[in-house]
Amino acid sequence: MLNAEWPWHRFGVTGVYSSVLMMTGLSINVLGPVGPVLMRHLSASPHSIGSIYSAEGLGNFLGSLLLGPVLSRLRPHAVLVGVSALVFLCLGAVPSCSALHQVASLYLLIGLASGLGNATANTSLTWAWHGAAPQLAAAFNLVNSCFPLGGSAAPLVVLASERRVGNSLAAFSAISVAALLPAAGCALLQPPTAPPPPPEERAEEEKEGAADGSSRAVGGSTVLGIDLGSRRAYVRCTVHAPLLLTTTLCIGAEIAYAAWVYAYAAHHAEMRSDEAAYLSSLYWSAFVVGRLSATPLAAYFSPGSILVPSLALEVLSLLALALLPPSSNVMRAGTVGAGVGVSMLFSNILSLLARYGLLTTAMTGALGAFAAIGHMTVPSLAGAAIDRHGYAALMPLLCALNGVGLALLTAVVLHLRANFHADEGSGGAVPQGGRRLGGRSKRAEEARRIA
């Protein structure tokens, strides 16, 4: 096993975590292109595939919530090996299923493996690149770009299975075998370990019970004249909660756009069916290009400088689609803008929190869980709006949700910039007065001077 002393260890584990997200992207997004064949195989209606997506979303939510308890007991690479094995077994069993509830049950487990695997990979990535904040931001974007990249590759795997084997359901078996590759990588590389907090911070956290980055908050615990009781609550209310709500709204809107853009283009913009189908591929292609392009940008720009403009592009694109007369050119331009705009959200929220020393294992799992909530709820909300007001209601709804997310995100970025100086060397944070947040608190510093 190659340990952390190996010069290329950081790059090796980054490659392994990229393969984890590629695996989960393939295993989930293969449902789209193989869905009609699978429904015929199960003698189910085409719309029944929605129940499989719901089961996967629920599993993803539960897997994200399990991150903290699991990592407190197991090493990260042991978790990823188990995740790979679970995906291998469940995907390989899908072609042999004869009932819809069997496939839904398997995808509940695949979703659980996906949520736990993605959150574990992102947490371990933070540990591996600790002390190299710009490189960590680039690594976040690179690793998380592999999930949509896997989604884009899924139709190719289905097409190859149909041409080579004569049965597109063989794609499940092919992807299940590929799911073992991350396990092999985890077996070869020693997992990174969580960096210990400084002694002063550890003593203060033990005293105050603030083990979630709250010691990095500036000043006291008062917001708008209301004392929240602790600095931990202050960080949760002013940073964590707005970012979690932004994740739910914007990731949910992302999935809703992908789910409804075909029907919207065909019925509202009156595009041909082949043109409408092209829009879905264009959206995910723009998503992949946007997230990959964020990798070099993250080495030169702060996460906040990437997040706010990119989400503003998302809002402006949806606003244009809502206000301009629908046409093929407007739909294509708006789809590209929407795909690129939202692509940089999740990975750069992780980078933003890591930059200020506020990314914890619990917060990483919570981000995945809240993204799953958006995945499960916003597409249904969009469907209800379409049923009640027609397809013309889709773009204004998604624009409004992203607009709220943009306002919350901008407020958090400005709050962090006003109260923290990012420590580029260690990923911690230093307040305006020069004291390192997450290092010595004022009380600890005063005690040291008195001593």
Side-chain angles (χ1 to χ4, degrees):
M1 177 179 287
L2 298 173
N3 58 32
E5 300 301 323
W6 181 48
W8 295 93
H9 182 266
R10 281 177 166 178
F11 298 97
V13 295
T14 300
V16 170
Y17 303 150
S18 297
S19 69
V20 171
L21 271 80
M22 176 79 80
M23 171 194 70
T24 57
L26 276 167
S27 60
I28 293 172
N29 290 288
V30 71
L31 278 174
V34 84
V37 176
L38 180 62
M39 291 301 101
R40 288 197 298 271
H41 174 72
L42 300 175
S43 300
S45 66
H47 299 289
S48 299
I49 197 171
S51 61
I52 301 177
Y53 277 113
S54 297
E56 182 274 323
L58 177 59
N60 201 304
F61 172 75
L62 295 174
S64 299
L65 291 182
L66 287 174
L67 177 66
V70 169
L71 283 188
S72 66
R73 293 168 174 81
L74 298 172
R75 304 186 77 181
H77 285 190
V79 176
L80 294 179
V81 168
V83 163
S84 297
L86 183 59
V87 172
F88 167 74
L89 293 173
C90 292
L91 271 181
V94 169
S96 62
C97 292
S98 58
L100 181 64
H101 72 272
Q102 295 174 345
V103 178
S105 299
L106 290 174
Y107 260 89
L108 175 67
L109 296 176
I110 292 171
L112 188 146
S114 174
L116 181 58
N118 292 355
T120 300
N122 279 306
T123 299
S124 300
L125 192 68
T126 307
W127 297 349
W129 289 95
H130 177 73
Q135 292 87 342
L136 173 60
F140 269 135
N141 283 282
L142 176 63
V143 169
N144 285 277
S145 68
C146 289
F147 183 87
L149 196 60
S152 299
L156 302 178
V157 177
V158 173
L159 182 61
S161 300
E162 187 172 346
R163 290 182 175 179
R164 296 283 184 178
V165 184
N167 183 6
S168 57
L169 293 181
F172 288 108
S173 301
I175 296 173
S176 71
V177 174
L180 295 177
L181 293 177
C186 289
L188 289 174
L189 293 168
Q190 184 181 29
T193 56
E200 297 89 347
E201 178 183 343
R202 187 162 57 247
E204 184 176 349
E205 288 178 350
E206 289 174 357
K207 180 179 179 181
E208 297 186 3
D212 61 349
S214 60
S215 60
R216 292 166 172 83
V218 175
S221 58
T222 301
V223 177
L224 299 177
I226 301 173
D227 188 359
L228 299 177
S230 69
R231 288 182 294 160
R232 174 170 53 182
Y234 174 80
V235 171
R236 285 179 174 174
C237 291
T238 61
V239 179
H240 288 170
L243 290 180
L244 290 172
L245 181 56
T246 298
T247 299
T248 297
L249 296 177
C250 296
I251 297 298
E254 165 199 324
I255 301 300
Y257 188 94
W260 290 104
V261 66
Y262 175 86
Y264 178 88
H267 294 90
H268 186 69
E270 298 181 350
M271 295 175 66
R272 298 196 313 269
S273 58
D274 57 336
E275 291 180 326
Y278 168 74
L279 282 179
S280 181
S281 298
L282 181 63
Y283 179 71
W284 287 117
S285 298
F287 189 97
V288 172
V289 171
R291 187 164 280 183
L292 285 174
S293 66
T295 302
L297 288 176
Y300 299 98
F301 298 97
S302 67
S305 299
I306 297 174
L307 276 168
V308 174
S310 63
L311 195 55
L313 174 62
E314 167 83 359
V315 173
L316 291 175
S317 299
L318 293 172
L319 186 62
L321 289 172
L323 297 179
L324 296 178
S327 67
S328 297
N329 291 334
V330 170
M331 287 299 302
R332 292 191 189 100
T335 296
V336 170
V340 171
V342 76
S343 67
M344 304 182 189
L345 180 73
F346 188 81
S347 55
N348 282 288
I349 285 181
L350 291 170
S351 300
L352 181 69
L353 290 169
R355 178 183 176 86
Y356 292 99
L358 299 174
L359 184 63
T360 63
T361 301
M363 185 59 183
T364 304
L367 283 168
F370 274 74
I373 291 173
H375 188 168
M376 290 186 288
T377 57
V378 176
S380 299
L381 176 64
I386 291 171
D387 288 340
R388 186 176 181 85
H389 302 289
Y391 283 98
L394 178 64
M395 296 304 170
L397 172 64
L398 299 184
C399 183
L401 294 177
N402 280 284
V404 173
L406 177 60
L408 291 171
L409 182 63
T410 303
V412 170
V413 170
L414 293 176
H415 168 63
L416 290 173
R417 287 183 177 177
N419 295 285
F420 296 83
H421 287 312
D423 185 349
E424 300 292 351
S426 65
V430 179
Q432 297 285 4
R435 174 176 60 86
R436 177 176 162 34
L437 294 177
R440 290 186 176 93
S441 69
K442 287 184 178 178
R443 285 177 302 207
E445 184 69 22
E446 290 169 0
R448 186 189 66 81
R449 286 199 301 266
I450 292 172

